[in-house]
Amino acid sequence: MGRPLAAPTLALMAGIACSSVYEVATAPLLTALLAACLFLLVCIIRRRSKAASFFLAGAFFVLGWLQMNLYLYREPAGDHIVNLLKSEPVTITGLVSEAPQHFPEKTDLTVKALKMTEGTGAEHPCHGKILISYQGRRTFAYGDAVSARTRLRRVRNFHNPGGFDYERHLKFQGILVRGFIPDDSRIILLRKGLGNPLRQRLEGVRAQIRSFVDLHAPFPEREIVKACILGDQQEIPREIRDAFSKTGTSHIIAISGFNMGLVAFFSIFLVRSLLRRFPYLLLRFEMHKLSVLAAIPPVILYTFIAGAGMSVWRATLMILAFMIALLIARNRDLYNTLAMAALFILVPYPPALFDISFQLSFAAVAAILFITPRLTAFVPKMVSNRSTSSLLAHLIGRLRYQTALFMIVSLSAMLGTLPLIALYFNRISLVAFPANIILVPILGILAVPASLAAVFFLPWSSTLAKICLDLAGVLVMNSLTVNDFFASLPWSSRYLTTPSILEIAVFYLLIYAVVRLLPQSASPDPAKAATAAKPPLWVHYTLAATVLFFVVNGILLHETGRNHGVFSAAAIDVGQGSSTLVRFPADKIMLIDGGGFPNSIFDVGKYIVAPYLWRERIDAIDIVVLTHPHPDHLQGLHFILNNFSVREVWSTGEKRNSKEYGELLKIIQDRGIPHHRRSSQDDPIIINDVRIEFLNPECSGTDEETESSYVETNDRSLAMRMTFGGVSFLFTGDISGATEEAIVSRRGRILSSLLFVPHHGGRTSTTAGFLEAVKPAAAIISAGYDNPFLLPHPEVLTRLRKAGAKIYRTDLQGMIRAATDGQALFIFPSLTSEGGSPSPQKIEIFVGSPNKYLTSKVN
């Protein structure tokens, strides 16, 4: 059977992907689409099927490119809120356009702006969506008219290579602006019930279900139940979500194709059971088609109960595609049905291609369709003749066959999604197979239907609904116990460095070759085995080539991980904080600070620093340095110390009574990591031909000393000068002008080619006397974009320019990497300027004679 939808689907995906990389004007794309449609029409009239297929694929390719242009490159109108942003707080009046997203620590509101009022009282009509995050207990609902006072900012990424594109993620939802409110008293409810009446009624039903679950289910079972039936996964505590992530079972507690499939399956099962009681209907209609048709309304109804979000609709459309294939008797070629499901999703909403859940769902289904038939050939068939066996033997055989099939399907889905999980989450579960085997039946096949039954009975009988909810709660509680057991195993999961697209493609090619080599039949009959189709010779060559690729790739990764002849330091874009990756000329790795946001639960180490390290293929760090124990330098180190192999930690030994610092010291102690206190009294250290001098503090801290003040802690920052050949990098922490003067008085001239500017460019640092002693050729400032402290200070920028230093800033240029061979210094900013091209621009600062080897090595 042909697969007419495969080529158009792949072409559509290719067009969408190309549009995200290259911008092409709309006019030529429309012309190309029109031409492709005309040629397609001519080919159909002349019955040129191959040419028609080609032009059909071309039309879908251009269509995908054209559609994505609307999401990526369309400029907002003049009265869009993004064009009216102010540096001071403003008052926004608008409508809550989506159901609020509740997290344990905050609530996110998507507000459709109607009016902006400045502090002076000037009003501006406006439009556009704003994502407002607030802390507090107040709740709002879809359709509420609200007024909120906040400082609005344009959504912006952390610009580090390989980082998550949060800006694009929100742009696909039509959100270009964010606001943060620490106190919910700044949000005023003006009026209720201004949304779409049908949507409001739906949200009312969801609120009723949520209230019923909150009232009758205990913590944390109620959070799991609400996640499975309402999609409120954000309310699940972080430690529970992390446990599901460790065991590879997060898909069970998310609204996915699995949940939709369960709804469809049980609906079909119930309808068939009812139809068997009416022989007249069985004679007039095909039972399987009638049952599938009757199952469509429950699936759509559950879609709305689950919130009707984009991820829910994607799962629904995939299930509906397979149900439609059953209705039109096209279920024999399931690959074609899968392509149809992709078209259903991508044609109306092309950004879905970049959604992780979309990619995981289709990879899992494709792997099941490809791998399962080959592996099930090895499973002994059930005994169908009951006359020759007892009923018990028949039931045991059926159970054994279904269990084996379930295990094969689970294994196939895991193999299909493994590379994508490693790419997006850098984590694989080593207990995913047994955990899924146990938890899918308990939590998925039993607890989810019981929860849905509670929803079904709620309008008719609260007693029956409570019984079903209690049953679901028991099942969830047992599931959590099992999941906690697997997650608590020390080897339950492992973090991986980020694989390349080539490695992922070769992995899938390897799986394809291995499965193709499996016999299509495991029959012991030699005659039948001889007639089985043998795989072509190229499949054997493909298998050998893929194995050879991974062997050679492993050797190359080991060698390229050694920074031969080059000393480099990368200032990671962590916002208003500091974190620097230092790579020595051989294989040593140092991380200086980890960034962090005070009074925030956002984990900079997990979501910014670690992904950059994994992208650089780093999973072990020789030295972690904490310059001083302030949140914007230390908070990101918790995740690093917990999840990377760290050989030793350097700090000043500063005594500071803070929760974050105490947790850091506890991690160091629990993991048995050697902790060294450094000061200017220490002798220089040489690591891979790099000389490290300790310039500050004058002496290391002791356990007996009193706690330092905030300013004193800054001034006791660990300052180091690292010299390789004739080039020096000076790392200064958050020292102030007084400490700079003390260092100069002790050491005299401390010439350095590159200065990592103290205290994020604060006014009281980077004094003229200090710059005279350092004489930097270049300076890197680590600061947050549009930060509330207005750093770097203009006076500091002026002093740096007068000193002749080229200035680089993480707030404007993203991650900035400096590299040297000891003679020449190269600076590589991630962005050329604010809003500039993401491709790096090479800046050369020759300290000595240029070295061609360095030029080729750092590119």
Side-chain angles (χ1 to χ4, degrees), residues 137 508 703 747 794:
R137 297 181 176 274
Y508 281 125
D703 294 331
R747 301 295 301 268

Side-chain angles (χ1 to χ4, degrees), residues 208-209 212 270 305 449-469 471:
Q208 183 183 2
I209 296 172
F212 180 79
L270 291 175
I305 291 176
S451 302
L452 293 175
V455 174
F456 174 79
F457 286 121
L458 183 58
W460 320 106
S461 172
S462 59
T463 302
L464 289 176
K466 186 177 184 306
I467 292 174
C468 293
L469 186 61
L471 175 60

Side-chain angles (χ1 to χ4, degrees), residues 21-92:
V21 179
Y22 304 104
E23 180 181 2
V24 176
T26 301
L29 289 175
L30 285 173
T31 303
L33 180 61
L34 179 61
C37 291
L38 289 176
F39 282 115
L40 173 62
L41 181 61
V42 171
C43 292
I44 292 175
I45 294 174
R46 295 188 177 185
R47 298 184 179 180
R48 303 285 181 86
S49 58
K50 291 186 178 179
S53 299
F54 173 79
F55 286 111
L56 178 63
F60 272 92
F61 175 80
V62 179
L63 178 64
W65 201 317
L66 187 62
Q67 283 183 296
M68 279 302 296
N69 275 8
L70 300 177
Y71 287 91
L72 292 174
Y73 308 117
R74 183 172 57 182
E75 290 296 326
D79 61 344
H80 193 284
I81 185 64
V82 75
N83 297 318
L84 303 174
L85 298 183
K86 305 293 180 181
S87 58
E88 66 277 356
V90 296
T91 300
I92 286 293

Side-chain angles (χ1 to χ4, degrees), residues 593-609:
D593 294 328
F597 297 111
N599 304 316
S600 173
I601 55 93
F602 180 76
D603 195 334
V604 172
K606 181 176 183 179
Y607 297 112
I608 299 178
V609 179

Side-chain angles (χ1 to χ4, degrees), residues 370 503-517 539 542-550:
F370 179 64
E503 290 169 336
I504 292 174
V506 175
F507 177 86
Y508 281 125
L509 197 59
L510 173 64
I511 296 298
Y512 175 82
V514 170
V515 175
R516 279 294 303 272
L517 288 175
V539 175
T542 301
L543 178 61
T546 53
V547 173
L548 180 62
F549 169 84
F550 282 113

Side-chain angles (χ1 to χ4, degrees), residues 185 248 309 322 408 504 529 848:
S185 63
F322 281 91
I408 290 172
I504 292 174

Side-chain angles (χ1 to χ4, degrees), residues 436-623:
N436 274 276
I437 295 300
I438 298 175
L439 290 178
V440 167
I442 301 176
L443 185 55
I445 300 178
L446 296 178
V448 171
S451 302
L452 293 175
V455 174
F456 174 79
F457 286 121
L458 183 58
W460 320 106
S461 172
S462 59
T463 302
L464 289 176
K466 186 177 184 306
I467 292 174
C468 293
L469 186 61
D470 290 342
L471 175 60
V474 172
L475 294 169
V476 168
M477 181 180 62
N478 289 313
S479 299
L480 290 175
T481 302
V482 173
N483 192 66
D484 288 342
F485 166 75
F486 282 112
S488 64
L489 298 175
W491 44 269
S492 61
S493 66
R494 178 178 175 82
Y495 281 103
L496 303 176
T497 59
T498 305
S500 66
I501 300 301
L502 178 61
E503 290 169 336
I504 292 174
V506 175
F507 177 86
Y508 281 125
L509 197 59
L510 173 64
I511 296 298
Y512 175 82
V514 170
V515 175
R516 279 294 303 272
L517 288 175
L518 295 176
Q520 294 183 354
S521 174
S523 173
D525 188 349
K528 292 183 179 181
T531 59
K534 293 184 178 180
L537 190 60
W538 66 265
V539 175
H540 296 268
Y541 291 143
T542 301
L543 178 61
T546 53
V547 173
L548 180 62
F549 169 84
F550 282 113
V551 172
V552 174
N553 186 65
I555 296 173
L556 290 176
L557 284 178
H558 180 267
E559 287 302 311
T560 54
R562 300 171 64 87
N563 214 28
H564 293 291
V566 176
F567 174 55
S568 66
I572 306 171
D573 181 7
V574 293
Q576 187 57 31
S578 179
S579 182
T580 306
L581 174 67
V582 178
R583 306 189 73 158
F584 291 89
D587 58 350
K588 298 296 184 182
I589 302 292
M590 174 187 288
L591 181 67
I592 303 176
D593 294 328
F597 297 111
N599 304 316
S600 173
I601 55 93
F602 180 76
D603 195 334
V604 172
K606 181 176 183 179
Y607 297 112
I608 299 178
V609 179
Y612 175 70
L613 298 179
W614 288 325
R615 191 255 183 190
E616 292 292 308
R617 297 304 183 102
I618 295 173
D619 58 5
I621 303 173
D622 295 282
I623 305 169

